[in-house]
Amino acid sequence: MLKNMRVGTKLVGLLVAPLLVLGILAGVGVTDRLQRADDARRAEQLAEVVAQAASAAHQLQLEQLRAVVVFGSGSAVGGETFESQQGVTDEALEAVRSSLEPFRAAGGPLADRADTLADRTVNLAALREQAGGARGSVQTILDGYEVLVDAATGIFEATVNEPSLPAITQDLVAATTLAGSKSAYAQRGAILAAALADGRVTAAVAESARAAGDEALRRSDTFYDQAQPDLKALLRNVQSSADTRALDDTTEGIYAAVDAGTEPQIDATRYADLNAVLLSGSLEVENEIARSVFTVASDERRSAIATVRLYLIGVSLGIVVALAVGFLVARAITRPLRQLMAAADQLATDQLPSLVERLRSPDEADEAPGLVQVQVGGRDEIGQLAKAFNAVQETTAQVATDQAALLRKGVSDLFVNLARRNQALLDRQIEFIDQLESNETDADQLKNLFRLDHLATRMRRNAESLLVLAGAEGARRRGRPVPLADVVRIGVGEVEDFTRVNLVALDDLSIDAAAAVDIAHLLAELMENATQFSPPETHVEVVGHRTRDGSYVLSVSDEGIGMSSEHLAEANEQLAHPPVMGLALSRALGFTVVGRLASRHDLDVRLTPSPTGGVTALTTIPPALLVDGPSTAGATPIASLAAPPDAIRGLDEPGLAGVAAMAAAPAVAH
């Protein structure tokens, strides 16, 4: 599979492993930060639980103070305050239950504490009835509220055991310690307030109150060891306030009166109010702890979320940058490779065939073919490969040009040498035959000499065809225009089976001297081809006519088997673009010779199907090669084409008179 992948895909694939590792590391980091964010959210919930638990414990402690005063005074004092406090306490209990709901489903210490608080608050209504109706004992009231306060303050202890942020553990421990100190102060105040309301403060009561006060101080000292400096300062301000000093002085007065054996003369309601002030101050410290926990948790959660976002943004940017860099690097490699590949493909499918075709063309054979070079910048391996590829192209073009030139020159020289030698021998042979013809009186012998002269003339045409293939000019050139009829007769005279050629109609005009011999040669090749590829009992007709643009069209039509459309198209292509003759000689040399002669004089030669079967060769002579004769209005009569031999001998062609006489005979008979 890797072998079939593109280079760019392979290069980008190299980034998969590091990007995968980056993604895994980012996933671990994101997971860790999300866990921290979840812990922070849980810490925020714990802060809410601390605040609500502190409020519930505080309201229960205040209600306990009011309850013992009402109970001791027989509902005569503080009844309204006690009833209003009950509503506040119920709201605080409901709030703490709501804050504990997220923890109830997960289980754990807080869920157990929530269940404990819910179970103990069931007895709160009965406890209130006892206090308001002064039924039972004051100790029952004290113990009943103490159980409820313990259930509320026990929530503080459970928060310490909940999994959360390490940064808030110290605050939670301090809050638990402060809650215990506050509960001890509330217990001391409730004990003394109940005794004052009852009017009997005994030594046992004082001793219990002192024990609770000592416990409060001990826990308070522990708080100072655990809490942060700002929380310590806040609690000191509460404990050093005027109300707190008044409470301490009042409490010490109660202890002094009991020690002296006298009854303290202190109002129970007043003493309960002083305790409420101290408890409210402590509540402020607890609330401050809850706010501190919430702030730390919120900051941690925002930081964790921000870190997650940074992770995601960083990873995304890293992936984008890596892919962009990989894409740019891959493009920097694949783009020149594609250019090189396209250049190689163009060289193989377009430029080299075009080069070969140009080298085959006689007109462009000597021109150096140009190959498009690959424009790849840079000095890397690809750039060096492109330079090497360009060097290969240049070398290929140069070698092809040199080899084609050498091949053409060698073949051309071979053709020219053979043709010149044959021409010299044939000219001497025709001259000798002419001498024999002039001295012969026997008709049979003269006929044989005419045939021998005709064969020599056809052999000379073959020698001239070699010169045409070699690109050399023929030796026969005229100095004045030649009548069209004579040009056609010359061509007929060079056809083997000339008796089958019928000249139907020709106009009275002449051909430019520079093209007359080549046109005769061209017509001879076409008529030779027509006679060879048609049945021997059929005739080949030659007809000429003028066109509207002033050109002249000579048609050579046979009644042979014809050619298929594919062969016609191939032959017309060869006539229009004759190939350069090399070592691989074509069998259709006649078409090549015709094409060369046509391109030499800007003639148009085209093969078409004949209406009666066979093939018609249309040769269009441009107006530049035509010279109007004295009578161009109508076609020359057929009989006039049978000119006597002396009329053609004026062309100074050796042996042409006999050939012309033989060529004229079938026309007259026809």
Side-chain angles (χ1 to χ4, degrees):
M1 182 179 68
L2 291 176
K3 292 189 295 184
N4 297 327
M5 291 175 62
R6 294 182 176 271
V7 175
T9 305
K10 293 179 180 178
L11 292 175
V12 175
L14 292 176
L15 297 175
V16 172
L19 289 179
L20 184 61
V21 173
L22 178 62
I24 292 174
L25 293 178
V28 172
V30 168
T31 302
D32 179 67
R33 294 309 185 277
L34 289 177
Q35 183 60 45
R36 290 181 58 183
D38 187 67
D39 292 342
R41 181 184 58 80
R42 191 176 183 87
E44 290 178 343
Q45 294 174 343
L46 288 177
E48 179 68 16
V49 169
V50 168
Q52 298 302 331
S55 176
H58 178 72
Q59 300 304 329
L60 286 171
Q61 289 164 355
L62 293 182
E63 185 174 331
Q64 182 185 30
L65 287 173
R66 305 306 177 191
V68 295
V69 171
V70 170
F71 182 85
S73 62
S75 300
V77 179
E80 295 181 0
T81 305
F82 177 56
E83 291 178 358
S84 61
Q85 180 62 44
Q86 292 176 17
V88 177
T89 302
D90 291 339
E91 293 178 359
L93 290 173
E94 181 61 30
V96 74
R97 280 193 291 268
S98 298
S99 66
L100 288 171
E101 282 301 321
F103 299 93
R104 294 176 66 91
L110 273 179
D112 295 339
R113 293 293 182 175
D115 293 339
T116 301
L117 180 62
D119 293 339
R120 293 182 180 180
T121 53
V122 173
N123 300 323
L124 182 58
L127 188 61
R128 288 171 175 171
E129 290 181 0
Q130 291 179 10
R135 296 193 302 270
S137 64
V138 69
Q139 191 62 42
T140 302
I141 303 301
L142 289 173
D143 293 341
Y145 277 101
E146 194 62 35
V147 169
L148 291 172
V149 171
D150 289 342
T153 55
I155 295 175
F156 287 87
E157 297 176 1
T159 58
V160 178
N161 297 323
E162 283 289 328
S164 184
L165 299 176
I168 67 172
T169 301
Q170 181 182 358
D171 287 342
L172 293 177
V173 172
T176 302
T177 303
L178 181 59
S181 175
K182 183 169 174 285
S183 295
Y185 276 122
Q187 185 180 10
R188 185 192 68 176
I191 292 172
L192 294 178
L196 291 174
D198 189 47
R200 293 180 300 168
V201 182
T202 63
V205 171
E207 186 63 29
S208 297
R210 282 193 177 98
D214 293 340
E215 179 64 20
L217 291 174
R218 186 184 66 78
R219 289 179 178 266
S220 180
D221 293 338
T222 304
F223 173 81
Y224 283 116
D225 294 335
Q226 298 170 342
Q228 299 179 16
D230 55 339
L231 298 176
K232 295 177 184 178
L234 186 59
L235 184 60
R236 286 194 183 96
N237 292 336
V238 172
Q239 292 178 348
S240 62
S241 65
D243 292 332
T244 303
R245 288 197 302 271
L247 176 62
D248 291 340
D249 293 342
T250 303
T251 302
E252 288 300 326
I254 294 173
Y255 293 154
V258 172
D259 292 340
T262 61
E263 188 67 30
Q265 300 300 315
I266 298 173
D267 183 62
T269 302
R270 169 62 179 164
Y271 186 74
D273 291 339
L274 290 175
N275 278 276
V277 173
L278 174 62
L279 296 177
S280 297
S282 299
L283 178 63
E284 287 296 325
V285 179
E286 290 177 330
N287 289 334
E288 186 61 29
I289 293 176
R291 284 192 290 269
S292 175
V293 170
F294 187 84
T295 300
V296 171
S298 297
D299 293 342
E300 183 67 21
R301 183 174 60 82
R302 285 193 293 268
S303 175
I305 293 176
T307 305
V308 168
R309 291 174 180 171
L310 289 177
Y311 264 110
L312 295 177
I313 293 173
V315 170
S316 300
L317 289 177
I319 292 175
V320 170
V321 171
L323 291 177
V325 172
F327 173 77
L328 292 177
V329 173
R331 184 181 180 186
I333 295 176
T334 58
R335 187 174 184 181
L337 281 178
R338 283 196 296 268
Q339 292 178 351
L340 193 59
M341 182 177 65
D345 183 70
Q346 185 180 11
L347 178 66
T349 61
D350 185 18
Q351 295 184 19
L352 285 181
S354 176
L355 170 62
V356 174
E357 188 65 28
R358 292 182 63 185
L359 293 177
R360 287 178 177 175
S361 175
D363 298 333
E364 301 178 359
D366 296 331
E367 297 181 5
L371 298 179
V372 179
Q373 293 191 346
V374 183
Q375 302 296 329
V376 177
R379 300 179 180 178
D380 57 357
E381 291 81 355
I382 299 178
Q384 295 176 6
L385 179 61
K387 291 180 180 179
F389 184 80
N390 290 333
V392 170
Q393 287 194 97
E394 294 177 358
T395 303
T396 301
Q398 188 61 42
V399 170
T401 303
D402 295 344
Q403 291 297 321
L406 290 174
L407 182 62
R408 287 194 303 272
K409 187 176 184 303
V411 175
S412 176
D413 291 345
L414 177 63
F415 285 0
V416 170
N417 289 333
L418 290 176
R420 296 299 185 195
R421 290 183 181 184
N422 289 338
Q423 273 188 329
L425 294 175
L426 289 171
D427 287 344
R428 291 171 58 187
Q429 181 179 356
I430 292 174
E431 183 179 358
F432 180 68
I433 293 174
D434 285 344
Q435 293 177 3
L436 294 177
E437 289 175 349
S438 62
N439 297 326
E440 184 62 53
T441 58
D442 188 347
D444 292 335
Q445 292 296 330
L446 186 61
K447 181 178 180 180
N448 292 331
L449 289 175
F450 282 164
R451 289 180 178 177
L452 186 61
D453 191 356
H454 180 58
L455 290 174
T457 303
R458 290 179 57 235
M459 292 175 64
R460 183 175 61 184
R461 175 168 64 85
N462 291 336
E464 291 178 350
S465 295
L466 289 178
L467 292 177
V468 173
L469 294 175
E473 295 290 337
R476 297 186 296 169
R477 288 290 179 265
R478 305 276 69 81
R480 55 189 173 83
V482 181
L484 175 63
D486 291 345
V487 172
V488 175
R489 286 194 182 97
I490 293 173
V492 173
E494 295 182 352
V495 177
E496 178 181 5
D497 201 0
F498 63 89
T499 59
R500 293 172 53 201
V501 179
N502 294 335
L503 307 183
V504 179
L506 296 173
D507 290 318
D508 187 10
L509 50 83
S510 299
I511 303 297
D512 184 75
V517 175
D518 288 339
I519 292 177
H521 189 175
L522 182 149
L523 292 173
E525 294 288 347
L526 293 177
M527 289 184 288
E528 184 78 60
N529 188 72
T531 57
Q532 288 183 357
F533 292 95
S534 61
E537 67 275 6
T538 62
H539 293 277
V540 175
E541 294 185 348
V542 180
V543 180
H545 66 277
R546 265 286 179 84
T547 61
R548 293 182 179 180
D549 61 355
S551 302
Y552 196 82
V553 178
L554 287 171
S555 64
V556 179
S557 302
D558 63 60
E559 299 178 6
I561 59 176
M563 300 174 66
S564 65
S565 57
E566 292 80 4
H567 290 166
L568 278 176
E570 182 180 354
N572 285 324
E573 177 65 21
Q574 188 172 1
L575 290 172
H577 304 92
V580 175
M581 298 306 297
L583 296 179
L585 299 179
S586 172
R587 296 180 59 185
L589 292 178
F591 284 156
T592 303
V593 173
V594 171
R596 291 289 184 85
L597 293 173
S599 63
R600 180 182 294 177
H601 299 289
D602 208 12
L603 306 177
D604 180 52
V605 181
R606 182 166 51 90
L607 302 181
T608 61
S610 296
T612 59
V615 177
T616 298
L618 301 176
T619 302
T620 303
I621 304 174
L625 300 181
L626 300 177
V627 179
D628 290 337
S631 176
T632 60
T636 303
I638 298 300
S640 68
L641 295 179
D646 293 340
I648 304 177
R649 186 175 294 278
L651 298 175
D652 298 329
E653 295 291 344
L656 191 58
V659 174
M662 297 175 68
V668 174
H670 183 74

